[in-house]
Amino acid sequence: MRLVLLAYACFPILALADAPEAWQLGFQDPATPIMQGLIDLHHDIMFFLIAILVFVLWMISRALYLFHYTRNPIPEKIIHGTVIEIVWTITPSLILVLIAIPSFALLYSLDEIVDPAVTIKVIGHQWYWSYEYSDYSLADDQSIAFDSYMIPDDDLELGQFRLLEVDNRVVVPVETHLRFIITAADVLHSWAIPSLGVKCDAVPGRLNQVPVFIKREGVFYGQCSELCGANHGFMPIVIEAVSLENYISWVSNKLEEL
């Protein structure tokens, strides 16, 4: 525990990083309402799954025990049971309805675009990502745009994540409605960040969009999640969520560089 606290003190970026861990079985900490909804839905479905699993195992064990030939050498012939058939038809239907209601609510919320304050265009390439902040275009040929490449192992600094760090991060403000417009320049890609609950296909010739509302500051890591070629595993995604003041400062500096 002391080593962990020391690492956080020496490398504050680690304390803000939402990245996969070795042997991780659960979800990363949610940073958006969508991801929180996905985790809650998962837990709700797991409740029904475990309850059904226990019930089925109990029924099988009870049947194997009670109807063993040593205890029941002459089995009864049950041809028809109206009540039990009604029960095992209605009960699963009610369970599916209970699962479907929050599922559909979450599904439709994924497509809800709430008057975004910032729009960012994402373009997948073999094998890197390009980003464009078109809201701050000074002219048709001038806008905040950059490519984001993975940092090679030899160039990593102490505390950085292998295969996850990039040279140019996507900086966004917290508690702000964002819209990402996603496409690809060559083949299919997929823009995915687990902590944000985002996974959207980048399709050549097509624009897909996803809404994002980040609730806390931090650095969120993702990777391309669609097999796109030899270097598919080497095009990570890094989103850095900062305060609105820091975001405005970052945008101002980028505009001065144009």
Side-chain angles (χ1 to χ4, degrees):
M1 185 64 184
R2 292 181 179 179
L3 293 177
V4 174
L5 295 176
L6 179 61
Y8 284 169
C10 296
F11 308 103
I13 188 176
L14 292 178
L16 301 175
D18 287 75
E21 300 177 0
W23 301 100
Q24 182 175 350
L25 295 179
F27 294 98
Q28 295 180 20
D29 293 336
T32 63
I34 293 296
M35 189 57 195
Q36 184 63 59
L38 290 171
I39 293 176
D40 292 341
L41 178 63
H42 171 269
H43 293 345
D44 293 342
I45 294 177
M46 284 298 295
F47 168 78
F48 290 106
L49 187 150
I50 294 174
I52 293 171
L53 177 64
V54 171
F55 175 73
V56 170
L57 290 177
W58 177 75
M59 289 293 292
I60 292 175
S61 301
R62 183 177 175 83
L64 291 174
Y65 178 79
L66 295 178
F67 291 92
H68 193 266
Y69 73 95
T70 57
R71 296 180 181 83
N72 191 26
I74 305 177
E76 298 182 7
K77 294 182 179 180
I78 301 176
I79 299 175
H80 187 71
T82 304
V83 175
I84 193 172
E85 288 187 3
I86 293 175
V87 170
W88 73 39
T89 300
I90 294 179
T91 303
S93 301
L94 294 176
I95 294 175
L96 290 176
V97 170
L98 291 175
I99 294 175
I101 292 174
S103 299
F104 281 117
L106 184 60
L107 185 63
Y108 284 112
S109 67
L110 293 173
D111 296 327
E112 187 71 22
I113 304 294
V114 183
D115 191 19
V118 179
T119 298
I120 302 172
K121 187 175 182 180
V122 182
I123 305 174
H125 303 265
Q126 290 179 310
W127 289 272
Y128 64 96
W129 296 97
S130 294
Y131 300 94
E132 179 180 335
Y133 292 70
S134 55
D135 293 335
Y136 313 107
S137 299
L138 301 179
D140 292 340
D141 58 344
Q142 287 187 328
S143 62
I144 300 176
F146 54 86
D147 298 330
S148 182
Y149 289 88
M150 185 191 75
I151 298 179
D153 292 353
D154 296 338
D155 297 333
L156 288 175
E157 298 179 0
L158 189 62
Q160 290 185 326
F161 295 104
R162 178 178 175 270
L163 300 181
L164 289 177
E165 295 291 349
V166 297
D167 54 358
N168 288 308
R169 293 177 173 177
V170 181
V171 179
V172 296
V174 296
E175 297 184 349
T176 302
H177 289 287
L178 312 173
R179 176 177 61 178
F180 289 90
I181 299 176
I182 302 168
T183 187
D186 35 49
V187 299
L188 285 175
H189 299 277
S190 183
W191 199 71
I193 305 96
S195 291
L196 305 185
V198 173
K199 184 179 185 296
C200 183
D201 286 345
V203 183
R206 176 175 178 176
L207 296 178
N208 292 328
Q209 64 177 357
V210 291
V212 176
F213 184 86
I214 303 177
K215 298 185 296 183
R216 58 184 173 85
E217 297 183 24
V219 181
F220 309 102
Y221 293 85
Q223 291 177 299
C224 177
S225 298
E226 184 74 42
L227 187 59
C228 57
N231 291 332
H232 158 68
F234 304 101
M235 48 185 303
I237 305 158
V238 181
I239 305 293
E240 183 173 356
V242 299
S243 64
L244 183 59
E245 293 77 11
N246 290 338
Y247 174 74
I248 293 175
S249 176
W250 179 85
V251 170
S252 300
N253 293 333
K254 285 292 185 180
L255 290 175
E256 291 177 357
E257 295 174 1
L258 297 179

